[in-house]
Each structure stands twice: as C-alpha cells, then as structure tokens.
Amino acid sequence: MPNDKTMDAVALLKADHRKVEDLFAKFEAAKGDGKKKALAEQICMELTIHTKIEEDIFYPACEGAIDEDLLKEAYVEHDGAKVLIAEIEAGGPDDEFYDAKVKVLSEMIEHHVKEEEMRVEGMFSQARKAGLDMDDLGERMAAEKAQLMADYKVGGTPRPETSTFTGTALA
C-alpha cells in the first residue's frame, strides 16, 4: 500500500468498525430509496471485505492464543451477518423488511464489535496480550483488503461464504 506506515491489525480492524458504524448512521438518516440502496450496498461490501480479511488472516492467527469460545462465537456471528448481507443485496428499499434487515444487521455488528473491542477480555486485547505480531498481520490484511477492493470494483461484491451455517444455501 502507498502508506508511509501501515496500521497494525487492531487499528485497521477498528478503523473498519468506525467506518461501518458511520455508514449505518447515514442509512438511518437517509431519505429516498436510491440513497438507502447505495448506503446498504456500501455497508454490505465493507462488511464482506472486513469479514474476509478477519477470517483469512486475523482469526487464524488468534487460534490457540485467545479464548476458543470467543473465536467460535465470532465465526458464527460473521455467518449470521453474511446471511443478512445476502438478503439485503438480493432485495431493495421497496421490500417490506429491507430497512428492518439493515437495522438488525447494524445491531448484530454492534454486538460483535463490542466483543472484539472490550478492554480486557475482548478478542483484540487477548490477541495483543498473547504477543501476536500486529504489524505483520496489519500489513497482510491491508494488502488483502486492497486486492479485494480492486476485485470487487470490477466484479461486484461476491456472495458471502459461511463456515458454520448449515441451513438453506445462500445462493
């Protein structure tokens, strides 16, 4: 990336969290279907990329270093979000439950972020305490994020894959 200093892993993930929180707030305040659709699509893309870099790089690095139950919950929370993301992307603001789905997704993400960012027992604190190389993880995640953003600009946001969901297929 062309940055002088790449963010460490936790700083990168927290920056993503703040960006998505801002997008959810803008969606809440948005008037007009076009604006809502554009914001929802951006939220879905940001969350799809964020979950991908966490699942590809950050979570595997945390395995064996943080509370196993917390890590398993994070994967399941991601999968729940992915199901809603798929439904939001397949629909539109004129759908009866569109706003409700975005709201529930916002609440799910708020809960997930809280668990990751809690001061002592949160995933990020545990990962730092375990001595994970946050600079290396941050560089790798930033590189994957940049590649995914470039790919998604060309081909659009792909259908999210779930690792723990065994219900109806998302396709």
Side-chain angles (χ1 to χ4, degrees), residues 16 19-20 22-24 26-27 34-50 85 88-89 98 102 105 149 152-153 157:
D16 283 357
K19 182 173 188 174
V20 171
D22 182 56
L23 290 169
F24 278 123
K26 287 178 179 173
F27 181 89
K35 184 73 173 165
K36 284 187 170 197
K37 178 79 171 161
L39 285 164
E41 287 174 356
Q42 188 176 1
I43 289 166
C44 290
M45 182 195 68
E46 294 289 342
L47 288 174
T48 298
I49 291 170
H50 179 83
I85 288 168
I88 291 165
E89 289 179 330
Y98 190 78
V102 175
L105 179 62
M149 294 283 270
Y152 294 169
K153 283 183 180 166
T157 307

Side-chain angles (χ1 to χ4, degrees), residues 13 16-17 44-60 74-75 77-79 81-82 85 105 109 112 116 144 148 152 160-161:
L13 295 173
D16 283 357
H17 291 168
C44 290
M45 182 195 68
E46 294 289 342
L47 288 174
T48 298
I49 291 170
H50 179 83
T51 59
K52 182 103 172 93
I53 65 173
E54 277 189 328
E55 291 176 3
D56 289 353
I57 299 168
F58 190 73
Y59 289 177
Y75 278 109
E77 289 169 352
H78 275 197
D79 284 355
K82 290 173 190 177
I85 288 168
L105 179 62
I109 298 305
H112 180 74
E116 286 186 336
E144 181 174 354
L148 290 169
Y152 294 169
E161 295 176 19

Side-chain angles (χ1 to χ4, degrees), residues 146-164:
Q147 183 61 54
L148 290 169
M149 294 283 270
D151 292 349
Y152 294 169
K153 283 183 180 166
V154 173
T157 307
R159 283 281 200 208
E161 295 176 19
T162 58
S163 56
T164 66

